[in-house]
Amino acid sequence: MADPDERRAEFAIVVRSDLKGKGLGVILFRKLVDYFRARGTGSLTGDALAENVGVQKLVRRFGGTVQPGNEAGTVALVVPLHGNSS
């Protein structure tokens, strides 16, 4: 979901437990990155549980950052879309 001025879009990815670790998250996230980059969106943002190291690795793989979240036990995820391709 993108904000009206295309500066940011919020993302969420859910992969069924028995399909985790097979690269599906990478494929889905690459499609999101490509789509929003083509629209001119500045960044993708999201929140996750701090224990979800899989999504943290995914975000870092695409040049993003992981910071402490606003709520205890969460992290804030940001992937800039200008110039980064994975």
Side-chain angles (χ1 to χ4, degrees):
M1 175 173 60
D3 59 11
D5 61 2
E6 293 291 338
R7 290 180 38 195
R8 286 188 304 239
E10 186 174 351
F11 75 92
I13 294 178
V14 178
V15 176
R16 204 170 69 192
S17 294
D18 62 326
L19 296 176
K20 289 183 180 178
K22 299 179 189 286
L24 186 56
V26 174
I27 293 167
L28 291 170
F29 200 70
R30 182 172 286 124
K31 288 193 174 290
L32 279 173
V33 166
D34 291 346
Y35 174 77
F36 282 105
R37 189 174 280 146
R39 285 179 57 144
T41 306
S43 64
L44 288 175
T45 64
D47 297 303
L49 294 175
E51 65 197 39
N52 187 343
V53 295
V55 75
Q56 293 177 46
K57 286 174 62 175
L58 181 65
V59 162
R60 288 185 177 113
R61 176 178 179 162
F62 282 84
T65 60
V66 178
Q67 301 294 324
N70 291 331
E71 297 182 32
T74 67
V75 291
L77 311 165
V78 179
V79 179
L81 298 179
H82 48 80
N84 177 35
S85 60
S86 179

